[in-house]
Structure formats: C-alpha cells, structure tokens
Amino acid sequence: MSHGIEGTLTKRKKETGASEHGGGVPVPAQTPDVPDLPFRMDGNVKEFHLIAEPVRQEIIPGRVVDLWGYNGSAPGPTIQITKGDRVRIIVDNHLPEATSMHWHGFEVSSDMDGSPGSSQDPIAPGGRFVYEFTLNQDGTYFYHSHMAMQEMMGMIGAFIMHPKDAYKPSVDKDFVIIMQEYAILPNINVPNSMNMEFNWLTFNGKSGPATTPLIVRHGERVRIRLINLGMDHHPIHLHGHQFVVTGTEGGRQPESTWGPGNTVLVGVAQSRDVEFVASNPGDWMLHCHLPHHMMNQMSSNVGPMSRRMGMAAGLDMERGMGMLRQGSATSGENGPSLGRGLGVGSTAEQAMSNSPLSAGSSMHQHQDMPGMQMRPPDVSKDANSIPGFPQDAFMEGPMMAMDRMVDKPENYGLRPGWSGFMAGMMTFVRVLPPDQYDQIMELRQKQQGKKPMSNMPPMEHNHE
C-alpha cells in the first residue's frame, strides 16, 4: 500500500493536537510544482523507489526542454520522513550512462553514502542499487547524482527529515524551493552542462511567471526551505516581511543565532530555512536578487545596441542566416538581435532588428502565442536617442504579459498584467485574508474540473 508523509503527519496531528505556534506534530512540507514521492511500508521500513531518467519538462508555457531527473520530474520528487525512521530507497538507472546517488548531509555508513568509486561502484545503465539506513537527523536535506555534469542536467531532489515533535515556535505552512540554472540556447532544448552562462533560472523546475505562488493565510507562521545545487549562489529576498534563518543544510540552528533579515544568501550545496509570521497582507515577491537571475532566455549579444533596421528578408543565404561577410563579430557594422524574449523575438538565431517597437502599433493577442497579452509600450518620445535603450526590463515588461498562459488557482486575484514582470527565479508569497484564502483553496479543489479561472467571480485586490 502506498503512503504519503502528508497523511501520516496529518493523522498524528489529529491524534495529538497542536496549538497555534505552540508545538505538536510537524506539518507536511509542500513543494509547489513538484510531487512528493510515495512510500510503502515493509514491516517497520519505509520503502521508496527512485528512477533516474530523462525528463521532458515545460519550464514556461511553450518552452519544453530535455533534462535529466527522477520519476519524470526535475527536480525529482520530494521525500519526507520522520526522525528515527528506517528507510529503504531503491534506485533504478534508466539513463544511457552510469550514475550515482548521494544523500547530501546524511550521517549514514560509508557504504550507503553513494560516492562512486569510493563507497560503491557507479550504477550502470539498466542497473539498480538499494540503499537502507536509519535516519536520526532532522532538517532540510537533499539527494543528487554525484556525477558532476548530471547535477547540471537537473538531478536533485529535496529530502525533508521532520522532527518527531514540531520545532518551537511551530509553523502553519512549510514550503520547499529548489533552485537550478541551465544554459539552453534559444533554438535548442538540451542544456549545455559545461556552459557557465545560464539563461534559464528556475524555482522547483519552473521559471517565472510559471512558478506557483506560496499561499498563506494572514497571521500564519511560515517556513520556507531554500535548497541550492548549481553553479551560482543565490541571494533570496522576500518583500514585505522580515524573517529569521532557523536552519541550514546541517539542521536546526540554535535560537541564539537567529537575527532579523529579508535577504539570505543560499550558497552552492547549501540549504537555508527561513521563518516569519505572515503579518502583512498582500502579494509579495520572493526572488533571487541577482539581476540576471530575474530574466528568461538570456543570450549573449555582440556589437553595439543600434537603432538601425536589421537584415531585410529575401537576401542571399549567408546574410539571411546572419553569417558575417566582412569585419568581425564585434565590429560596428554588426548589431545584435534582442534575443531575450519569451519566444516572440528569439525563437532562432537570426539577424533581426533591435529597434524599439513603434509606440503607435497595435499590441493585443499575439497570433503565434495565444494567451500572450501585448500592449503599446510606455516610452518617451526621444527614446531612440538614449544610449542603451531598449533594455530587457522594457522588453519583458508590460508588453510580455502572459497571465492567461499561466492561469492556475494560486494566481487568481493577482493584478492584470502581473506576469509581464516575473521571470527567472521569481515567485509570490501571497498573504491573504481568510475569505480570499478560502476562495483559492476552493478553486484548488475545483481545479480537476478544468473550469477557467477567468470565469470565476472577481476577487478584491489589496493595493494598500
């Protein structure tokens, strides 16, 4: 019989009871856009089954990429256990090459560590390895392939070890966010795991605006577990609230180390738990504060930004394909394409104009991308004369809104056009009054009926 940690913890909570912020049984963690890994009981052992395999994943609407992950997901499904559990994890390798499975931060015997060559042989294609250990830790941990380039293809998952009794103060909501980055050129679908220039940055396998907001009720205490396994460090910033860092990849931190902040640096191979009371109603951004990590589909440009028109259609093959016939790639005669949109202006590498769109042109529904809302840009009359215009914030701003394409219950009630300003490692923490919170919970329950959110009754906005 399959079980989930949510049912186990919920049952214990009902049996023991828990006062507000006062202890009791831990609440299960939620990993938006990523499933939990079910388990079955074999006597007193919780048995999980992980499959390392290629994954085709849509990171924003219309952008499907080829990654490697576990059980059809990158990052892989979240595993949740309770301190003291005996755990068995069966790992099957469905990749075309050998892999490994390392349990990051686990205090287990050397033969269960998953280090290829030192603790075990790599798991061959089509092979299997069974790990079994008793876990006497609690905190935010994770699992990942110990083949370096496989990590850059997406092979990581969260492993949450709950204490038997909730930490004090206890939380009402517990969320997990895994940060990953990929280098994927606009006209291909496979990450270049050797490239250091990342143009797709994800929370739980999605880039903004496709990330799913964290929904909390006004007054609830919230924990967010941030996990980073990539090549970049990420300063994660929360709007509207101060938080304290209560845990790392080594477990719970002593309360004497807690101090207020609103930005936490999550380094490579680290996790950080932050906690706060959601006392300020509103739709608050949670994002990496590195500017390039708040963009989608970035790619390097050469040559100066230019107001002149790009390659005209119908020329010879070399120029039509953007091949240089004279000068160097960085010469003043060769200007770049914009190349950083959500698919409208960068579906292939080709010479194209980087002149600003005409302010008088009509921008409504884009014919090639239903759901993309287009509207005239708000620019000054002398915009063309300003060096550096246009920049990506302009291109990915109000003219790139795609609210309908990322329609889901958690987005219901956001301001129209919100999605035009969300990209990369960006999501919302939505602190809602009880009636709006209950409304979204009801919409979640109705989601299986596939009723469009646009047909739902209007929700009041909080703009204070």
Side-chain angles (χ1 to χ4, degrees):
M1 180 178 178
S2 293
H3 297 267
I5 192 69
E6 183 171 2
T8 302
L9 292 180
T10 300
K11 181 180 178 182
R12 286 182 56 206
K13 189 169 186 177
K14 289 180 179 179
E15 292 172 349
T16 60
S19 60
E20 184 178 11
H21 312 324
V25 175
V27 297
Q30 305 173 45
T31 313
D33 300 310
V34 175
D36 275 2
L37 187 65
F39 61 87
R40 75 178 190 95
M41 294 303 301
D42 182 12
N44 66 341
V45 179
K46 287 183 178 178
E47 184 177 278
F48 299 87
H49 188 189
L50 276 172
I51 301 172
E53 60 184 356
V55 173
R56 283 184 59 79
Q57 185 152 306
E58 186 175 63
I59 54 179
I60 65 166
R63 191 65 168 105
V64 178
V65 295
D66 291 291
L67 306 175
W68 288 5
Y70 300 97
N71 298 57
S73 177
T78 297
I79 298 174
Q80 302 191 56
I81 63 97
T82 301
K83 182 178 180 178
D85 281 348
R86 182 74 177 174
V87 176
R88 178 183 304 129
I89 306 173
I90 302 168
V91 178
D92 285 335
N93 182 14
H94 291 182
L95 298 172
E97 64 183 39
T99 190
S100 70
M101 180 63 81
H102 175 57
W103 312 101
H104 195 100
F106 288 26
E107 296 173 352
V108 296
S109 61
S110 175
D111 60 338
M112 293 287 108
D113 182 63
S115 299
S118 57
S119 68
Q120 67 173 81
D121 292 331
I123 307 172
R128 167 179 287 188
F129 196 94
V130 179
Y131 300 86
E132 188 166 334
F133 31 67
T134 300
L135 295 170
N136 290 304
Q137 299 165 261
D138 54 83
T140 303
Y141 300 89
F142 44 103
Y143 62 90
H144 62 86
S145 166
H146 216 273
M147 306 294 208
M149 294 306 184
Q150 292 180 2
E151 296 176 22
M152 298 306 300
M153 289 289 289
M155 301 189 71
I156 177 179
F159 200 116
I160 308 303
M161 303 187 199
H162 294 280
K164 291 183 178 179
D165 297 311
Y167 301 125
K168 294 182 181 180
S170 63
V171 297
D172 303 290
K173 292 289 191 305
D174 193 337
F175 298 102
V176 181
I177 292 179
I178 299 176
M179 293 162 274
Q180 295 169 290
E181 58 262 5
Y182 302 104
I184 310 174
L185 290 175
N187 58 335
I188 62 174
N189 298 325
V190 181
N192 180 347
S193 59
M194 298 180 70
N195 194 333
M196 293 286 289
E197 189 174 74
F198 307 111
N199 59 346
W200 285 102
L201 291 298
T202 64
F203 278 170
N204 293 342
K206 299 287 186 182
S207 290
T211 50
T212 297
L214 314 184
I215 306 298
V216 303
R217 190 194 301 267
H218 181 217
E220 288 186 321
R221 186 173 178 86
V222 180
R223 177 185 299 121
I224 303 177
R225 305 172 187 258
L226 303 161
I227 298 173
N228 178 19
L229 189 69
M231 288 292 294
D232 286 339
H233 305 311
H234 300 295
I236 303 300
H237 172 59
L238 174 64
H239 293 207
H241 293 80
Q242 307 300 318
F243 56 61
V244 293
V245 178
T246 60
T248 73
E249 71 283 351
R252 186 76 167 176
Q253 293 283 96
E255 191 168 347
S256 60
T257 67
W258 298 2
N262 51 60
T263 305
V264 59
L265 183 64
V266 188
V268 172
Q270 292 183 339
S271 70
R272 291 292 183 269
D273 297 352
V274 301
E275 296 181 20
F276 61 96
V277 175
S279 58
N280 194 4
D283 301 324
W284 302 109
M285 284 190 176
L286 177 72
H287 63 94
C288 178
H289 220 292
L290 290 177
H292 282 190
H293 293 188
M294 293 182 279
M295 302 181 189
N296 289 336
Q297 199 151 285
M298 300 171 293
S299 58
S300 287
N301 292 328
V302 294
M305 292 301 288
S306 164
R307 303 284 82 76
R308 60 187 169 84
M309 294 301 294
M311 186 64 62
L315 299 180
D316 55 85
M317 180 179 293
E318 287 83 359
R319 283 181 289 173
M321 294 178 67
M323 295 180 181
L324 301 180
R325 302 186 69 181
Q326 60 184 18
S328 67
T330 56
S331 73
E333 296 300 313
N334 299 302
S337 71
L338 285 169
R340 297 192 182 186
L342 293 173
V344 176
S346 55
T347 53
E349 292 190 12
Q350 57 186 336
M352 58 195 303
S353 170
N354 64 353
S355 296
L357 295 169
S358 170
S361 64
S362 175
M363 295 187 197
H364 299 291
Q365 192 87 343
H366 193 273
Q367 293 180 354
D368 296 330
M369 299 188 72
M372 181 79 77
Q373 295 102 59
M374 311 291 280
R375 68 182 186 186
D378 184 10
V379 301
S380 63
K381 293 181 179 180
D382 64 345
N384 282 350
S385 68
I386 307 301
F389 171 83
Q391 285 295 312
D392 292 319
F394 166 79
M395 289 304 298
E396 297 180 3
M399 58 171 286
M400 287 296 184
M402 52 193 306
D403 298 13
R404 297 186 190 95
M405 299 175 72
V406 291
D407 193 21
K408 63 183 74 172
E410 292 83 358
N411 294 339
Y412 181 53
L414 291 171
R415 291 175 62 103
W418 66 270
S419 60
F421 298 90
M422 301 284 286
M425 289 180 169
M426 302 182 76
T427 190
F428 285 116
V429 175
R430 303 192 64 191
V431 179
L432 302 175
D435 57 337
Q436 294 182 8
Y437 176 89
D438 292 341
Q439 196 172 11
I440 286 184
M441 294 300 105
E442 182 181 353
L443 291 176
R444 274 183 173 175
Q445 295 177 355
K446 293 179 178 178
Q447 189 178 30
Q448 289 185 352
K450 305 298 181 184
K451 188 175 182 180
M453 297 300 108
S454 56
N455 292 339
M456 295 296 176
M459 175 186 282
E460 295 291 333
H461 293 284
N462 289 318
H463 302 324
E464 298 180 358

